[in-house]
Amino acid sequence: MNKFTPATNKFAPAKPAGARSVDEITGSRRLRRMRKADWSRRLVQENQLSVNDLIWPIFVVEGRQVREPIAAMPGVYRLSVDLAVKEAERAAKLGIPALATFPNVELSLRDETGSHILDPENVINRATRAIKDAVPEIGIITDAALDPFTSHGHDGILRDGIIVNDESVEQVTAAAVIQAAAGADIIAPSDMMDGRIGAIRDALDTNGFQDVAIMSYATKFSSAFYGPYREAVGTAGLLKGDKKTYYIDHANSD
Amino acid sequence: MNKFTPATNKFAPAKPAGARSVDEITGSRRLRRMRKADWSRRLVQENQLSVNDLIWPIFVVEGRQVREPIAAMPGVYRLSVDLAVKEAERAAKLGIPALATFPNVELSLRDETGSHILDPENVINRATRAIKDAVPEIGIITDAALDPFTSHGHDGILRDGIIVNDESVEQVTAAAVIQAAAGADIIAPSDMMDGRIGAIRDALDTNGFQDVAIMSYATKFSSAFYGPYREAVGTAGLLKGDKKTYYIDHANSD
Amino acid sequence: MNKFTPATNKFAPAKPAGARSVDEITGSRRLRRMRKADWSRRLVQENQLSVNDLIWPIFVVEGRQVREPIAAMPGVYRLSVDLAVKEAERAAKLGIPALATFPNVELSLRDETGSHILDPENVINRATRAIKDAVPEIGIITDAALDPFTSHGHDGILRDGIIVNDESVEQVTAAAVIQAAAGADIIAPSDMMDGRIGAIRDALDTNGFQDVAIMSYATKFSSAFYGPYREAVGTAGLLKGDKKTYYIDHANSD
Amino acid sequence: MNKFTPATNKFAPAKPAGARSVDEITGSRRLRRMRKADWSRRLVQENQLSVNDLIWPIFVVEGRQVREPIAAMPGVYRLSVDLAVKEAERAAKLGIPALATFPNVELSLRDETGSHILDPENVINRATRAIKDAVPEIGIITDAALDPFTSHGHDGILRDGIIVNDESVEQVTAAAVIQAAAGADIIAPSDMMDGRIGAIRDALDTNGFQDVAIMSYATKFSSAFYGPYREAVGTAGLLKGDKKTYYIDHANSD
Amino acid sequence: MNKFTPATNKFAPAKPAGARSVDEITGSRRLRRMRKADWSRRLVQENQLSVNDLIWPIFVVEGRQVREPIAAMPGVYRLSVDLAVKEAERAAKLGIPALATFPNVELSLRDETGSHILDPENVINRATRAIKDAVPEIGIITDAALDPFTSHGHDGILRDGIIVNDESVEQVTAAAVIQAAAGADIIAPSDMMDGRIGAIRDALDTNGFQDVAIMSYATKFSSAFYGPYREAVGTAGLLKGDKKTYYIDHANSD
Amino acid sequence: MNKFTPATNKFAPAKPAGARSVDEITGSRRLRRMRKADWSRRLVQENQLSVNDLIWPIFVVEGRQVREPIAAMPGVYRLSVDLAVKEAERAAKLGIPALATFPNVELSLRDETGSHILDPENVINRATRAIKDAVPEIGIITDAALDPFTSHGHDGILRDGIIVNDESVEQVTAAAVIQAAAGADIIAPSDMMDGRIGAIRDALDTNGFQDVAIMSYATKFSSAFYGPYREAVGTAGLLKGDKKTYYIDHANSD
Amino acid sequence: MNKFTPATNKFAPAKPAGARSVDEITGSRRLRRMRKADWSRRLVQENQLSVNDLIWPIFVVEGRQVREPIAAMPGVYRLSVDLAVKEAERAAKLGIPALATFPNVELSLRDETGSHILDPENVINRATRAIKDAVPEIGIITDAALDPFTSHGHDGILRDGIIVNDESVEQVTAAAVIQAAAGADIIAPSDMMDGRIGAIRDALDTNGFQDVAIMSYATKFSSAFYGPYREAVGTAGLLKGDKKTYYIDHANSD
Amino acid sequence: MNKFTPATNKFAPAKPAGARSVDEITGSRRLRRMRKADWSRRLVQENQLSVNDLIWPIFVVEGRQVREPIAAMPGVYRLSVDLAVKEAERAAKLGIPALATFPNVELSLRDETGSHILDPENVINRATRAIKDAVPEIGIITDAALDPFTSHGHDGILRDGIIVNDESVEQVTAAAVIQAAAGADIIAPSDMMDGRIGAIRDALDTNGFQDVAIMSYATKFSSAFYGPYREAVGTAGLLKGDKKTYYIDHANSD
């Protein structure tokens, strides 16, 4: 019957008396029907991933013509602003709607409070201006995050070994306004301080950036998946202790 | 007020007339409270991943004392049966409840119909017997899949370039009974033929393996995530055309 | 304040004492933000209509090089098989996954029982074969409906002024098998007889057409929207009385 | 058996061994039972469309005894106020609960800000007064929309090629109060500015029109269905670029 | 302020410092707006009771020109068949889709098993034939219930003081077929025996009454609301003990 | 088999070939099992109506030892305060948790604004004090409704034939405070004015009646069920026009 | 302010500037209102536990006038049949709808297969007959469980240290029929064998006990709450190993 | 067949004609499969109770080295602060995340208003300080409840036999701040006064305890389960009347 059953089939499973055929088992519901051809798969598929669903992340560093490989993310590079602009042009040509930029700040510019994030001339704000100038039709998402700017690699302001909530919110809020002034379309805070979204919204509206949006990161757990990102932004070596969001001795990183 | 605001803060965001404090923004709902200490995080966490939630995959090859690295999965090896038993002992000691075994079959044993899967002495069935003997307290999940046994790398029987449904189901069903006879606790078919679950259940029950369970793979899309698995079981180079589940010219692979 | 308010504004609405600004009314939830630019609309849009979501209807008539306009559907034509094939080629080139064909049968071929639907050489079955031959990569949906074939324009077999359920189901079922034999990929019955889906499935499976699918029309109410279709298939003038699905005196039309 | 099967039935579908009858297929659930007669259809129908569910749209133009056909909507006319009143009387006699009026404004009265909408003597407000006077028992819905009044055909105030939100809201709000003063029962803004509903409610309440309702249009996508409406109100030729709701260069129409 | 507050208002409630106005309390959500006029009530009402939602109950007795008042239901009468036909004509003229008939059987015709229900010439079956003859366009619902036919007034067959389930189902099923043969469109069993619906369906289908429907009574609790019905069908004086559905000594009466 | 089938059974229903028994039809799910005995009915019943679920309505009139029958509600009487106290004592003895009182006010005390409702010595307030004094353990619900006090029988203050919302709310609110002062435990406003619940809550709290509850009537449609109540409180003859809630000419009653 | 604040209050909490009162905090929603008095608690309480919700468990032993205390359940006793009848009479007098009986079998009567459960004269069946005889109006629930009858205390038949499923089901099914024959109204199997409910239903129906119900125990986890029950039925000392439901070495107890 | 069926099986249940096997009854769904072994139970179990889910209650009394047994809770003791610290150390070593402390206050320190709860040196506050000092890594939950401190045993301030809501809230709020100052991490009020949660949150925030959490007790019914707790905290003998939450004469006791 089954002409494919080879001679090496040393084991013949007992056929039950009322053994059912595939048609009996499935009641003629053969779900492979609509998967059989390209046209029928296209006709019935419910989701279609397109270029409109993509955001292009760019890691930015100081310098010119810099293109540093990131070991943990093969094929991904840290780029200087001039090359980041080329990348943005490539993304626009592909129809990708938006970029998300992340800085890798020189260690000498990092301090306790991440104050360099407030410098309108820092690498992220310069990248925003250069990209907006060259590729106005692409959206720019900036990471309003302190961790690439702090000497301890945590995403907030530390006092007595504790990440203090309200001062961290003030610092992130000020950074958000500066990034919006540089041309950012969407501000993406990555800390988890209480009240940051409302504070950023208030500050953006008052400073005339009502059209700048805020993009919330999803809840972040203490996950090993953040390792490559830490290498990319250069905080991997700075963090001490474990990575949990806490108050005492250690602070919450990303 | 904010003694942390550094001198380098060159930009002072305008404070709105009715600027709200974090307490006003959050209505005193400070969600970080319960994340502040180790004890409170432990008290409120809803999910706790334990060793009981893990299954240990083992890739098995012929030979003795063989330990081949798998390039696409750093730190994972193909093991000969003797080393697979050691791995199983290690898993049992760690409290891991079950193993899932996958073969990398010699090319000379692969044919059009994957007939070697029906050999009670193939590497998977020998591994099952050896592990059950040495570590009876661990569960064994075997992959009732044709693709590591076929010369074309597809997970079914090809006829005129089409994966034929009902003959593929018969072949997989026979393999399931043989694997159960070798001692497998859970049969995991990975093809997507119509009616295979019912056919395997019928055959297992009729042959006296009512206590052997069947584990369904979730729906599989045409995803790049299967690449490393293909390298591990040695089908990557065999497949031609794209990987979609279809009837004509190509067949559905895993 | 509002420099746009023109001199012709003869009516100044009283401003309420506590009149609210748009920001106060919306709580800074300005939903137009994400609608402001092309990139942000693309980023947030949830649905994207593509060519894969379309089915191309073709009305077929006897003859060669025939292209009759349909008054009720400007820009739509009844085509002879040779032109229908051109249309199918055009559709395939555009990436449209499937066609749906509908006949306009000569009046002399229509009779009480719509028997011409069972003729393997009728215009629909010839169109199916011709299109499959020329454009194998496109799917074909055929209307397993009696109304274009009956002299009374109803979608079933009439006896004593009643559409008889079970005989109508037999007729439609036979037509479905003939259409599948001609190469149809999807059978679309449009009558509303009880039990027709199960009967067609049984017949297709038994005759070896397990891969031919059945497409159910949604529930049809007595709607004026069917008028243009009736003109296209040439039943508009045949129907008597109102169009409701009933038993006595009149029969259910489409 | 089937006495209707004609001689031309050249194809006899194979009857499966255990071929099921319609009763077996449906388990005696013959859903046509309750559709068989007029009385049973009336007894079981869940929805009944009545005159109370209808709103009668009237397109109004200047002049007397004017009755201009609208090409895109065969059978629909633009009417001068005197004929609109006749139409309202006809509607009332039929029991239709409410009218919705839309103007077709002379091009010479259209300007950048749509200021003519604020004229209590414009054609819409005169129509409202005339209809209320003649047919007080019918409700009147007025379209608080700028597009029939602007020279660019967009539904808001343009500045530097952008539809400015807050000034547009002010203009629409003023128009709403004027329309309510003329006797409108329901104000139907059709723009999509942020905060317009709250602003109109505030203004109506403060000016003593607490009983005047607001009817929200459903979310409007960029749809070809709005074409006929554009012809009816005379904005079709004015709009440039595409019709999407956006900020830059083009403005949102309808 | 409130010019309606009369002099007799001897009690002046303290006004709170921040006493809120109705507008503040409701946030301008004045729900009475749409209830204010006839046209707006018609426009927004969700349900509309029509003649199509009604079923006309008729109590039938032997005789000619009999019209007996039912004390517990003022304005309702028991009618002889000739008058019941008149009533049916009146109902049809009003557009009422269906009648439900209930008999009041002479005591001499009642017995232990309600055997008179099986007489094709009983008053209910004669009424059905007469009404169908005179008013074919109205639907007829007959009560397939034993209680008006049993000498003990219970809705089943009693044995040793117990209502026996399966014999009662047989009796009701036979009655249903007889009623369908007389022309009933819907059979409405009112007992609560297990399995009666399936048994009636089987019997109707086998006897060629596939188009006759079955209407299930909703679950009946031991309610005082059934009192008037009992008087109408003349079982009120026959029942002993309480009215609960039970097995021993008493039987379930509707 | 069925020994109960009597000789008069002139019609033998055809037994279908595969006629099913009741056990086959029900799959042995005989739901009557748990209804068979008193103990099993008690064990499985889900709802149990007790005296705690009842509220005792009392209609109160002036006078002593008055006991007027209410025609539309046989067995219900209008009672003078002395007898209402006896009724309250009876209710308390039965364990009924609360009374709801409704007045029948002398016509001479009714006026346009229902001002007598504000008299702390009206029959309702005297009844409340008398009952609280005699039966402190029973709760008293008073109807804060104007209709028994107005000369037109509507439940609000009329101006130009319209029930004016805000003045009506003020009047009802004042009445609620007076009723609470008399000892009412629950205030039950029956009008449908916008904002009345918030206004009554504000007033009760400010006047120190924070423990007095408010009981909302369910939405009231224009129903004939209110007829007997209208007779009881003596408004039946006063109302003109239909009973719908509206603004013009007529007012909403109860 | 707070006249209750005593002198010992050494700590004065700072009052915030905008400290809110309880009314402000709750928005006047004072939920204690309806809990204030007995009548209002009774009026609003949703659940009321009555005697109808109770089942009275009785532990039965051999002998006469035996009344053994159960240490783990103070106040509960093992009773001989004569006293169990007295207990049943007491329960019936209190209106308790049903009893659940559990045996404590003499060790000498326990064996490997719990065969004594099949003795129609065992203590449980004698208790059922005696109680039914004396108190026919109370329902009797019997535990169709092997554990009080097996020498190993497990709730099934052991073979090679495994509880065998299908033989255990047969034994429990036979016991159920015997208990029903003795007069039990509800059979309550407490084992967790696959398929036992269907098997018991089949057996009861075939033996004429269609009115005997089956009561499923809820899913039982490995809980310490079963300890007292084990002492009561005398299996506590018999069980070896842990109590989990398993196959090998140990069996699932209750 | 069943070799276990013993000779004592005196009753052979009739096997029904079509008696089904367990496989037929269950359709081969043998749910015991995954319960058969330790590894499979671990693999499929959904819930796992760990030490992180536990809170350790400690009852504290004055004195040193005091260890008083609590009769109603065998194995639980009232401990003096020095021993409570030992208990806390034991809990921490076991990994238990938090303690909940409850005082048993000397009768001489109890008064009408429970004023001793406000003493920063009371036994609870001293315990908090001592435990925090010795075991900083464990969380402390304190019961902000008046009942262990009042001479009447009720959980609020009594005036004229009524528990007054707002003064009770003030007292509990002050106690919460004092407990937080002593080092409590979570405040757990057990009264049911309206508005207490908001009031405690306000007071904690204003006094700088924003990180102190509030834990709400679930709704408490009038349950006998609270008896042992009352003995533990020494209020059992103080309470008079029943335990329901009410206003008059008696007060709500937890």
Side-chain angles (χ1 to χ4, degrees), chain G residues 66-125:
Chain G
V66 179
R67 183 180 190 83
E68 301 173 4
I70 302 170
M73 292 191 263
V76 182
Y77 299 84
R78 296 189 202 89
L79 305 171
S80 51
V81 170
D82 51 338
L83 295 188
V85 169
K86 297 287 169 221
E87 203 81 342
E89 286 166 349
R90 213 176 120 210
K93 224 165 274 155
L94 290 166
I96 289 175
L99 307 173
T101 58
F102 302 93
N104 185 302
V105 177
E106 292 173 40
L107 285 184
S108 66
L109 288 170
R110 306 193 187 195
D111 59 19
E112 274 295 299
T113 62
S115 63
H116 186 54
I117 200 174
L118 301 177
D119 186 343
E121 296 303 320
N122 68 24
V123 72
I124 278 301
N125 294 322

Side-chain angles (χ1 to χ4, degrees), chain B residues 146-177:
Chain B
L146 293 175
D147 52 321
F149 296 94
T150 56
S151 50
H152 43 69
H154 286 297
D155 203 354
I157 290 177
L158 277 177
R159 190 167 50 194
D160 305 334
I162 301 176
I163 296 189
V164 287
N165 191 85
D166 299 15
E167 285 87 343
S168 298
V169 167
E170 281 191 38
Q171 192 83 329
V172 166
T173 297
V177 173

Side-chain angles (χ1 to χ4, degrees), chain F residues 70-98:
Chain F
I70 302 171
M73 292 192 263
V76 182
Y77 299 83
R78 294 189 204 90
L79 305 172
S80 52
V81 172
D82 51 339
L83 296 188
V85 170
K86 296 289 169 220
E87 202 83 340
E89 283 166 353
R90 211 173 123 213
K93 224 164 273 156
L94 290 166
I96 289 174

